[in-house]
Amino acid sequence: MIVLLLGAPGAGKGTHAARIADHTGLPHVSSGELLRGAVERKTELGVKAKEHMDAGSLVPDEFMLAWIEELLDDSVYESGIILDGFPRTVPQAEGLDKLLAAKGLATDLVLLLDITQDAAAERLLSRVTCGKCGAIHNLAQKPMEVPGICDACGGELETRADDVRETIEKRFVEFRKQTEPMIEYYRSRGNFETINTNRAVDAVRQDIRDLLDRVSAATS
Ligand code: AMP
């Protein structure tokens, strides 16, 4: 099963992608997470991506398309994939469709996580990530038992460099300019569902599970 998770920054893509991966057993790939790793390791892609990420703008399509082509050649993803954060532009979506079609594949579910900009911005400003286990926490919703330490594994919590008000604003501008047209591209093509994520995380998780079970029953 191939699932694409779309949504504005702060819509909950990372949180729910990890849960979908647990539920389905499929590998979860976050383009943002992989890019942050590449930046840290100073790989060729990381060096090219850094200035765009720091500025809150998107990494150019040519780099992202080369990245996805290489990724999809990995046999780990033969049984399916949960893609979180990719595609983000119309050319990326078209490129992905072509790569999948060349392998005789197509997306089974394109899921838009929908949230208002104000609610998403509030979430981003109180979001922290565990440097050890990668868990995403929201301190406004649930403060940690020991401040700065992950409740799940005891690792140290980090705030993403781009989760500051000015960069968040720029990321929303990019979303409206580049990603919203891509959402319309998918909306018109079937297999497209929307879930409102401006609700308690467990209610959203249950709705996503129900949806995945329906899609999986229909595709098996
Ligand atoms: P995310 O972790 O999904 O919020 O992504 C963080 C940053 O990585 C974004 O603001 C972009 O600069 C970059 N990025 C992630 N995915 C993509 C993509 N598909 N296309 C272009 N840039 C991306």
Side-chain angles (χ1 to χ4, degrees), residues 37 44 49 53 62 81 91 109-110 122-123 171 203 207 211 220:
E44 204 186 328
M53 296 173 76
E62 55 182 300
I81 188 168
L109 174 64
V110 180
E122 222 171 89
R123 275 194 193 169
R171 287 158 68 201
D207 284 357
L211 176 62
S220 60

Side-chain angles (χ1 to χ4, degrees), residues 31-32 35-36 53 57 59 64 85-86 88 92 160 171:
S31 51
L35 286 169
R36 279 187 288 281
M53 296 173 76
S57 61
V59 176
M64 297 311 297
F86 183 94
R88 255 181 160 99
Q92 289 182 18
R160 271 174 50 174
R171 287 158 68 201

Side-chain angles (χ1 to χ4, degrees), residues 120 129 214:
T129 309
R214 282 203 305 279

